PDB file of all heavy atoms in Angstrom:
ATOM      1  N   ALA T 257       0.370   2.291  -0.614  1.00 95.00           N
ATOM      2  CA  ALA T 257       1.216   3.475  -0.740  1.00 95.00           C
ATOM      3  C   ALA T 257       0.370   4.732  -0.880  1.00 95.00           C
ATOM      4  O   ALA T 257      -0.801   4.654  -1.260  1.00 95.00           O
ATOM      5  CB  ALA T 257       2.114   3.338  -1.977  1.00 95.00           C
ATOM      6  N   TYR T 258       0.973   5.869  -0.569  1.00 97.00           N
ATOM      7  CA  TYR T 258       0.354   7.161  -0.852  1.00 97.00           C
ATOM      8  C   TYR T 258       0.615   7.504  -2.318  1.00 97.00           C
ATOM      9  O   TYR T 258       1.526   6.947  -2.945  1.00 97.00           O
ATOM     10  CB  TYR T 258       0.901   8.231   0.084  1.00 97.00           C
ATOM     11  CG  TYR T 258       0.295   8.136   1.482  1.00 97.00           C
ATOM     12  CD1 TYR T 258       0.790   7.243   2.425  1.00 97.00           C
ATOM     13  CD2 TYR T 258      -0.804   8.919   1.824  1.00 97.00           C
ATOM     14  CE1 TYR T 258       0.219   7.120   3.686  1.00 97.00           C
ATOM     15  CE2 TYR T 258      -1.385   8.806   3.079  1.00 97.00           C
ATOM     16  CZ  TYR T 258      -0.874   7.913   4.012  1.00 97.00           C
ATOM     17  OH  TYR T 258      -1.461   7.809   5.237  1.00 97.00           O
ATOM     18  N   CYS T 270       7.789  17.991   0.181  1.00 97.00           N
ATOM     19  CA  CYS T 270       7.734  16.599   0.640  1.00 97.00           C
ATOM     20  C   CYS T 270       9.022  15.825   0.346  1.00 97.00           C
ATOM     21  O   CYS T 270       9.426  14.969   1.126  1.00 97.00           O
ATOM     22  CB  CYS T 270       6.544  15.884  -0.009  1.00 97.00           C
ATOM     23  SG  CYS T 270       6.556  15.953  -1.822  1.00 97.00           S
ATOM     24  N   LEU T 273      11.800  14.954   2.852  1.00 96.00           N
ATOM     25  CA  LEU T 273      11.354  14.396   4.127  1.00 96.00           C
ATOM     26  C   LEU T 273      11.100  12.892   4.084  1.00 96.00           C
ATOM     27  O   LEU T 273      11.043  12.235   5.116  1.00 96.00           O
ATOM     28  CB  LEU T 273      10.048  15.070   4.561  1.00 96.00           C
ATOM     29  CG  LEU T 273      10.121  16.556   4.896  1.00 96.00           C
ATOM     30  CD1 LEU T 273       8.728  17.045   5.270  1.00 96.00           C
ATOM     31  CD2 LEU T 273      11.077  16.802   6.049  1.00 96.00           C
ATOM     32  N   CYS T 274      10.936  12.341   2.919  1.00 97.00           N
ATOM     33  CA  CYS T 274      10.514  10.940   2.824  1.00 97.00           C
ATOM     34  C   CYS T 274      11.607  10.010   3.354  1.00 97.00           C
ATOM     35  O   CYS T 274      12.735  10.022   2.860  1.00 97.00           O
ATOM     36  CB  CYS T 274      10.192  10.586   1.370  1.00 97.00           C
ATOM     37  SG  CYS T 274       9.762   8.853   1.178  1.00 97.00           S
ATOM     38  N   PRO T 275      11.306   9.187   4.361  1.00 97.00           N
ATOM     39  CA  PRO T 275      12.319   8.317   4.934  1.00 97.00           C
ATOM     40  C   PRO T 275      12.686   7.174   3.988  1.00 97.00           C
ATOM     41  O   PRO T 275      13.703   6.508   4.173  1.00 97.00           O
ATOM     42  CB  PRO T 275      11.655   7.777   6.202  1.00 97.00           C
ATOM     43  CG  PRO T 275      10.188   7.826   5.918  1.00 97.00           C
ATOM     44  CD  PRO T 275       9.988   9.019   5.020  1.00 97.00           C
ATOM     45  N   SER T 276      11.880   6.970   2.964  1.00 97.00           N
ATOM     46  CA  SER T 276      12.109   5.834   2.052  1.00 97.00           C
ATOM     47  C   SER T 276      12.606   6.277   0.676  1.00 97.00           C
ATOM     48  O   SER T 276      12.705   5.453  -0.237  1.00 97.00           O
ATOM     49  CB  SER T 276      10.815   5.043   1.878  1.00 97.00           C
ATOM     50  OG  SER T 276      10.102   4.958   3.095  1.00 97.00           O
ATOM     51  N   GLN T 277      12.902   7.567   0.527  1.00 97.00           N
ATOM     52  CA  GLN T 277      13.287   8.110  -0.796  1.00 97.00           C
ATOM     53  C   GLN T 277      12.329   7.649  -1.883  1.00 97.00           C
ATOM     54  O   GLN T 277      12.737   7.288  -2.981  1.00 97.00           O
ATOM     55  CB  GLN T 277      14.728   7.717  -1.169  1.00 97.00           C
ATOM     56  CG  GLN T 277      15.799   8.559  -0.534  1.00 97.00           C
ATOM     57  CD  GLN T 277      16.123   8.065   0.876  1.00 97.00           C
ATOM     58  OE1 GLN T 277      16.328   6.886   1.082  1.00 97.00           O
ATOM     59  NE2 GLN T 277      16.121   8.961   1.833  1.00 97.00           N
ATOM     60  N   ALA T 278      11.039   7.665  -1.547  1.00 97.00           N
ATOM     61  CA  ALA T 278      10.030   7.203  -2.505  1.00 97.00           C
ATOM     62  C   ALA T 278       9.536   8.326  -3.405  1.00 97.00           C
ATOM     63  O   ALA T 278       8.900   8.084  -4.418  1.00 97.00           O
ATOM     64  CB  ALA T 278       8.844   6.599  -1.747  1.00 97.00           C
ATOM     65  N   ILE T 279       9.835   9.599  -3.019  1.00 97.00           N
ATOM     66  CA  ILE T 279       9.282  10.732  -3.763  1.00 97.00           C
ATOM     67  C   ILE T 279      10.306  11.231  -4.761  1.00 97.00           C
ATOM     68  O   ILE T 279      11.479  11.380  -4.425  1.00 97.00           O
ATOM     69  CB  ILE T 279       8.884  11.862  -2.803  1.00 97.00           C
ATOM     70  CG1 ILE T 279       7.897  11.322  -1.752  1.00 97.00           C
ATOM     71  CG2 ILE T 279       8.271  13.039  -3.566  1.00 97.00           C
ATOM     72  CD1 ILE T 279       7.542  12.304  -0.658  1.00 97.00           C
ATOM     73  N   ILE T 288       5.175   9.584  -6.299  1.00 98.00           N
ATOM     74  CA  ILE T 288       5.631   8.648  -5.262  1.00 98.00           C
ATOM     75  C   ILE T 288       5.793   7.283  -5.916  1.00 98.00           C
ATOM     76  O   ILE T 288       4.896   6.826  -6.633  1.00 98.00           O
ATOM     77  CB  ILE T 288       4.615   8.564  -4.103  1.00 98.00           C
ATOM     78  CG1 ILE T 288       4.589   9.887  -3.319  1.00 98.00           C
ATOM     79  CG2 ILE T 288       4.962   7.398  -3.168  1.00 98.00           C
ATOM     80  CD1 ILE T 288       3.492   9.975  -2.281  1.00 98.00           C
ATOM     81  N   LYS T 292       8.264   1.814  -3.269  1.00 97.00           N
ATOM     82  CA  LYS T 292       9.157   2.232  -2.174  1.00 97.00           C
ATOM     83  C   LYS T 292       8.417   2.777  -0.964  1.00 97.00           C
ATOM     84  O   LYS T 292       8.935   2.731   0.147  1.00 97.00           O
ATOM     85  CB  LYS T 292      10.111   3.308  -2.685  1.00 97.00           C
ATOM     86  CG  LYS T 292      11.219   2.795  -3.579  1.00 97.00           C
ATOM     87  CD  LYS T 292      12.195   3.939  -3.805  1.00 97.00           C
ATOM     88  CE  LYS T 292      13.386   3.543  -4.620  1.00 97.00           C
ATOM     89  NZ  LYS T 292      14.171   4.756  -4.940  1.00 97.00           N
ATOM     90  N   CYS T 293       7.243   3.372  -1.169  1.00 97.00           N
ATOM     91  CA  CYS T 293       6.534   4.041  -0.076  1.00 97.00           C
ATOM     92  C   CYS T 293       6.185   3.044   1.020  1.00 97.00           C
ATOM     93  O   CYS T 293       5.585   2.010   0.783  1.00 97.00           O
ATOM     94  CB  CYS T 293       5.269   4.721  -0.601  1.00 97.00           C
ATOM     95  SG  CYS T 293       4.227   5.361   0.725  1.00 97.00           S
ATOM     96  N   THR T 294       6.562   3.409   2.251  1.00 97.00           N
ATOM     97  CA  THR T 294       6.300   2.540   3.405  1.00 97.00           C
ATOM     98  C   THR T 294       5.190   3.123   4.277  1.00 97.00           C
ATOM     99  O   THR T 294       4.974   2.653   5.391  1.00 97.00           O
ATOM    100  CB  THR T 294       7.561   2.438   4.267  1.00 97.00           C
ATOM    101  OG1 THR T 294       7.955   3.774   4.610  1.00 97.00           O
ATOM    102  CG2 THR T 294       8.697   1.761   3.512  1.00 97.00           C
ATOM    103  N   GLU T 295       4.561   4.189   3.800  1.00 97.00           N
ATOM    104  CA  GLU T 295       3.586   4.954   4.592  1.00 97.00           C
ATOM    105  C   GLU T 295       4.235   5.498   5.873  1.00 97.00           C
ATOM    106  O   GLU T 295       3.553   5.773   6.853  1.00 97.00           O
ATOM    107  CB  GLU T 295       2.343   4.115   4.934  1.00 97.00           C
ATOM    108  CG  GLU T 295       1.612   3.629   3.679  1.00 97.00           C
ATOM    109  CD  GLU T 295       0.445   2.692   4.002  1.00 97.00           C
ATOM    110  OE1 GLU T 295      -0.155   2.865   5.072  1.00 97.00           O
ATOM    111  OE2 GLU T 295       0.180   1.799   3.193  1.00 97.00           O
ATOM    112  N   CYS T 296       5.542   5.583   5.834  1.00 97.00           N
ATOM    113  CA  CYS T 296       6.337   6.058   6.973  1.00 97.00           C
ATOM    114  C   CYS T 296       6.257   5.128   8.197  1.00 97.00           C
ATOM    115  O   CYS T 296       6.693   5.508   9.290  1.00 97.00           O
ATOM    116  CB  CYS T 296       5.955   7.483   7.380  1.00 97.00           C
ATOM    117  SG  CYS T 296       6.444   8.722   6.171  1.00 97.00           S
ATOM    118  N   GLU T 297       5.721   3.957   8.009  1.00 95.00           N
ATOM    119  CA  GLU T 297       5.608   2.969   9.105  1.00 95.00           C
ATOM    120  C   GLU T 297       6.979   2.711   9.733  1.00 95.00           C
ATOM    121  O   GLU T 297       7.950   2.442   9.044  1.00 95.00           O
ATOM    122  CB  GLU T 297       5.097   1.641   8.539  1.00 95.00           C
ATOM    123  CG  GLU T 297       3.631   1.615   8.266  1.00 95.00           C
ATOM    124  CD  GLU T 297       2.801   1.112   9.465  1.00 95.00           C
ATOM    125  OE1 GLU T 297       3.393   0.577  10.434  1.00 95.00           O
ATOM    126  OE2 GLU T 297       1.599   1.292   9.401  1.00 95.00           O
ATOM    127  N   ASP T 302       3.209  10.188  11.684  1.00 96.00           N
ATOM    128  CA  ASP T 302       2.376  10.682  10.584  1.00 96.00           C
ATOM    129  C   ASP T 302       3.133  10.537   9.275  1.00 96.00           C
ATOM    130  O   ASP T 302       4.358  10.740   9.240  1.00 96.00           O
ATOM    131  CB  ASP T 302       2.057  12.179  10.778  1.00 96.00           C
ATOM    132  CG  ASP T 302       1.308  12.448  12.070  1.00 96.00           C
ATOM    133  OD1 ASP T 302       0.674  11.507  12.594  1.00 96.00           O
ATOM    134  OD2 ASP T 302       1.368  13.602  12.555  1.00 96.00           O
ATOM    135  N   PRO T 303       2.434  10.232   8.183  1.00 97.00           N
ATOM    136  CA  PRO T 303       3.132  10.220   6.892  1.00 97.00           C
ATOM    137  C   PRO T 303       3.705  11.617   6.614  1.00 97.00           C
ATOM    138  O   PRO T 303       2.980  12.611   6.694  1.00 97.00           O
ATOM    139  CB  PRO T 303       2.038   9.841   5.886  1.00 97.00           C
ATOM    140  CG  PRO T 303       0.732  10.075   6.588  1.00 97.00           C
ATOM    141  CD  PRO T 303       0.999   9.941   8.059  1.00 97.00           C
ATOM    142  N   GLN T 304       4.986  11.685   6.343  1.00 98.00           N
ATOM    143  CA  GLN T 304       5.667  12.983   6.246  1.00 98.00           C
ATOM    144  C   GLN T 304       5.205  13.823   5.078  1.00 98.00           C
ATOM    145  O   GLN T 304       5.018  15.042   5.204  1.00 98.00           O
ATOM    146  CB  GLN T 304       7.181  12.765   6.185  1.00 98.00           C
ATOM    147  CG  GLN T 304       7.745  12.179   7.473  1.00 98.00           C
ATOM    148  CD  GLN T 304       7.478  13.094   8.663  1.00 98.00           C
ATOM    149  OE1 GLN T 304       8.093  14.122   8.785  1.00 98.00           O
ATOM    150  NE2 GLN T 304       6.527  12.709   9.510  1.00 98.00           N
ATOM    151  N   CYS T 305       5.022  13.196   3.926  1.00 98.00           N
ATOM    152  CA  CYS T 305       4.587  13.983   2.760  1.00 98.00           C
ATOM    153  C   CYS T 305       3.242  14.636   3.022  1.00 98.00           C
ATOM    154  O   CYS T 305       3.042  15.820   2.725  1.00 98.00           O
ATOM    155  CB  CYS T 305       4.541  13.089   1.501  1.00 98.00           C
ATOM    156  SG  CYS T 305       3.555  11.603   1.699  1.00 98.00           S
ATOM    157  N   VAL T 306       2.346  13.889   3.632  1.00 98.00           N
ATOM    158  CA  VAL T 306       1.006  14.401   3.936  1.00 98.00           C
ATOM    159  C   VAL T 306       1.082  15.531   4.957  1.00 98.00           C
ATOM    160  O   VAL T 306       0.317  16.494   4.906  1.00 98.00           O
ATOM    161  CB  VAL T 306       0.103  13.250   4.449  1.00 98.00           C
ATOM    162  CG1 VAL T 306      -1.234  13.792   4.950  1.00 98.00           C
ATOM    163  CG2 VAL T 306      -0.107  12.212   3.364  1.00 98.00           C
ATOM    164  N   ILE T 315      -2.399  14.768  -2.295  1.00 98.00           N
ATOM    165  CA  ILE T 315      -1.904  13.419  -1.967  1.00 98.00           C
ATOM    166  C   ILE T 315      -3.091  12.538  -1.568  1.00 98.00           C
ATOM    167  O   ILE T 315      -3.932  12.944  -0.761  1.00 98.00           O
ATOM    168  CB  ILE T 315      -0.865  13.475  -0.821  1.00 98.00           C
ATOM    169  CG1 ILE T 315       0.306  14.395  -1.214  1.00 98.00           C
ATOM    170  CG2 ILE T 315      -0.354  12.072  -0.508  1.00 98.00           C
ATOM    171  CD1 ILE T 315       1.404  14.497  -0.170  1.00 98.00           C
TER     172      ILE T 315
HETATM  173  S1  SF4 O 744       4.038   8.272   3.130  1.00 50.21           S
HETATM  174 FE1  SF4 O 744       6.111   8.440   3.947  1.00 50.21          FE
HETATM  175  S2  SF4 O 744       7.214   6.834   2.818  1.00 50.21           S
HETATM  176 FE2  SF4 O 744       5.349   7.208   1.663  1.00 50.21          FE
HETATM  177  S3  SF4 O 744       5.928   8.739   0.164  1.00 50.21           S
HETATM  178 FE3  SF4 O 744       5.064   9.839   1.914  1.00 50.21          FE
HETATM  179  S4  SF4 O 744       6.875  10.364   3.096  1.00 50.21           S
HETATM  180 FE4  SF4 O 744       7.514   8.748   1.698  1.00 50.21          FE
END
Side-chain angles (χ1 to χ4, degrees):
Chain T
Y258 283 83
C270 56
L273 295 179
C274 177
S276 322
Q277 279 84 48
I279 304 174
I288 291 172
K292 285 189 177 172
C293 172
T294 56
E295 300 175 31
C296 291
E297 283 269 349
D302 300 338
Q304 294 300 287
C305 53
V306 172
I315 302 181

